[in-house]
Amino acid sequence: MPESPYLVIHPDRVRENFRALDAAVRARGARSRLRYAVKASPVPELITLLDAEGAEFDVASIGEIDLCLGLGVAASKLCYGNPIKKAADIARAHAAGVRRFAFDTEDDLERIAELAPGAEVECRFLASAPQSRTPFGAKFGCTPAEALRLLVRARDLGLAVAGPYFHVGSQQLDPEAWRIGIRQAGAIADALADKDIRVTSVNIGGGLPISYADAAPALSEIAAVVNAAAAEFLPETADLVIEPGRALVGNAGTIHAEVVGVRHAPDGRRWVYLDIGRYNGMAETENEYIAYRFVTDRDGDPVDEAVIAGPTCDGDDVLYQRTRVLLPTTLRAGDRLQILDTGAYTASYSSVSFNGFPPLTVHVSGAERE
Ligand SMILES: *Cc1c(COP(=O)(O)O)cnc(C)c1O
C-alpha cells in the first residue's frame, strides 16, 4: 500500500463521463466539441485517454501546452484559453503550433494578432449568470458590448473569428446560468452577422457540477437546458464548444488519508487532524466552497460534529469549521479514511513542500507496472 496520503484515479470513469456528456450534448444536431480543461487534473494517462476519445484541450500556460504536445496531442487540438498571458508566451505557443487563443482585452488581442498572426480567436465575456460555488468574480471577461467590438477588431486585424465565449463559474449549480450565457452569446453572434462576420463556434466554458456532500443537478438536466438554449439562440452553423474539467475527472478520484490525531480543543469542539490539508491537495476547501464526503473504517459507529484540519503549522490549514461534518466519535489516530470525488483540483493544486509535506501522489488505477 502506498504511503498515505495519496489519490487514486480511475481512468474508466473518466472515459464514461466523457462519453455521457458527449452523447448528452450531441442531441442538439449541430456539431458539439468537448475541450478538456487540463488544469482540473493534468495526469498524462487522462490526457492520452481523452485525446483518443476525440477531446480538444483547454490549456492555460506553456507548461500545459508542452505537457499535451509531449504526449502526442496535435497542436490543432489545443486552445490557449487563458486571457492572462505574456507576449513571450503567445509567441512560444505560436511557435509550438497553437493556432487558437482566447482573450478578453484589446491589449491581448493586439499581441495575439502580432505574435500569432492569422490565429483563430474567442472573446471571453462576463455572462450575467448567478454565482457558482467557486466563483471567478470579475477576474475574467469583458462586457458583451466590448466582446462584439473586439471580435470585429479581431477580423480587422486579420485574425479568424471563432466566436464568443463565457464560463459560468466552476461547480455551477443553477442550470439557468447556461441559458443566460447562451442567450447573451447568441446576441453577440447575431450582431456580428449584421457585420458579415459568421461565428464558427460558441464556447460555453466549463462549470458543470458534480455531487459532493450536497447534490448537484444531473448532467442530463443541464444538457437539456444547454441544448434547448443553443437551438433557440445560436446560429445553426456554429459549433458548440464545452470545456469541462470537474465533470470529467471529479468523481474519478478518491483520496486515501489517515487520521493523525483527535482532540477536544479549548473552543469546546472536537478537532480531527488529517495527514492531508489545504496545502497538499484540499485547496478547494478554501472558504469551505466544496464540501467533500468522508468514509471511514468506523462508519456505523455513533457520529458527532467535528472540525477537520490539515497537518501543517498554518492556521488557515483547516478544511471545515463552519460546515457541519459528522464523523464517528470512535475515530482515533492511525485510522484510515477516504475522501470521495477528489479527482478534480486536488493533486495539481498541492504545494511542492510547504512545511516539509510533499505534494499529493497520484496512482492511476490499472496502470501499475508490476
Ligand atoms: C478551469 C476552466 C475550465 C473548467 O472548469 P470546470 O468548472 O472544472 O468545468 C474551463 N475553461 C476554462 C477557461 C477554465 O479556466
Side-chain angles (χ1 to χ4, degrees), residues 321-344:
Q321 52 191 329
R322 296 188 304 276
T323 306
R324 191 172 138 85
V325 182
L326 297 174
L327 287 177
T329 54
T330 47
L331 209 62
R332 56 173 135 83
D335 283 355
R336 316 261 324 159
L337 86 177
Q338 295 178 11
I339 312 176
L340 306 185
D341 303 315
T342 40

Side-chain angles (χ1 to χ4, degrees), residues 37 39 58 81 124 165 167 170-171 206-208 243-246 345:
K39 75 175 184 299
D58 170 60
R124 184 161 174 174
Y165 164 29
H167 189 307
S170 204
Q171 186 68 4
L208 295 166
E243 291 185 329
R246 189 186 307 278
Y345 303 115

